[in-house]
Amino acid sequence: MNKWLKVWSIFIFSIGGIVILLLFGIIYLFFSFRASMIPDKKEEEKVISQAEQYIQEKYPTMKYEISHVLFDSDDQYPDFEYAAMILNTETQKTFKVYENKNTKQIEDDITIQEEATFIEQLRPKVYSYITKTFGEPESISFTPTYHTRGTPTLTIRLNNKKEEVNEEMFQSFIDSLQHELNVEHANVSFLYDNETEHWNMEF
């Protein structure tokens, strides 16, 4: 009897110890999570100072206000943790200034915004050209500069066979991109015939 009582006592104490450790672990994780969601005031002040200096050097005539600091608590942005949100008081457009955590350089997202807008305007024009010339494409994908870290890419998957696509047709599309749609730089690929054949050009 005493033996079983001793075994049960050890078992209960063991379970109790595990439960207590789990509770402490959960409490620790909870407070750690809460702490990670609270922005660091020094980091906010730092990014504001960096933004003011950056704008003075790069956009010396710009009239602006720093509306607030964006804290990326949920890792939504791959390039920064803190960014100063800038309002151009003349155009009423907003943009971010931040220290890129990969390059350690101060930069803004004006070019990113402009490229994103340009791609959205370009997309229906490319779709119209491809559909008119080759028929309904399987897909059209744009990868902007800020994702490639180099030349933006345009990949078009056609529902065509090899004999239905030739270099002249591909070159005509490149000419249209450059001279009619005002695309300055791009890496363009046609994939067709179950993707075993393709045309590719960078300009």
Side-chain angles (χ1 to χ4, degrees), residues 66-168:
I66 299 179
S67 59
H68 65 282
V69 173
L70 174 64
F71 172 48
D72 185 28
S73 60
D74 54 359
D75 295 326
Q76 182 180 353
Y77 300 96
D79 292 334
F80 65 83
E81 188 174 4
Y82 292 86
M85 298 298 299
I86 313 298
L87 170 66
N88 184 322
T89 56
E90 293 180 316
T91 65
Q92 294 301 304
K93 292 183 177 180
T94 61
F95 62 96
K96 304 177 187 72
V97 174
Y98 50 87
E99 180 180 342
N100 189 307
K101 60 186 179 184
N102 301 306
T103 65
K104 304 304 180 184
Q105 300 295 314
I106 308 301
E107 58 188 49
D108 65 66
D109 70 342
I110 292 178
T111 302
I112 292 174
Q113 291 185 37
E114 290 175 345
E115 186 175 7
T117 299
F118 181 72
I119 287 175
E120 287 306 306
Q121 295 171 343
L122 182 67
R123 193 183 303 276
K125 297 175 183 177
V126 170
Y127 178 83
S128 177
Y129 183 102
I130 294 298
T131 302
K132 182 179 178 181
T133 307
F134 302 98
E136 184 78 20
E138 181 180 330
S139 67
I140 297 176
S141 64
F142 296 83
T143 306
T145 306
Y146 53 89
H147 282 166
T148 64
R149 300 294 178 186
T151 306
T153 64
L154 169 58
T155 303
I156 301 171
R157 302 177 189 276
L158 301 172
N159 287 311
N160 298 78
K161 297 185 180 299
K162 180 178 180 179
E163 59 271 16
E164 296 174 325
V165 184
N166 58 50
E167 186 175 4
E168 183 179 351

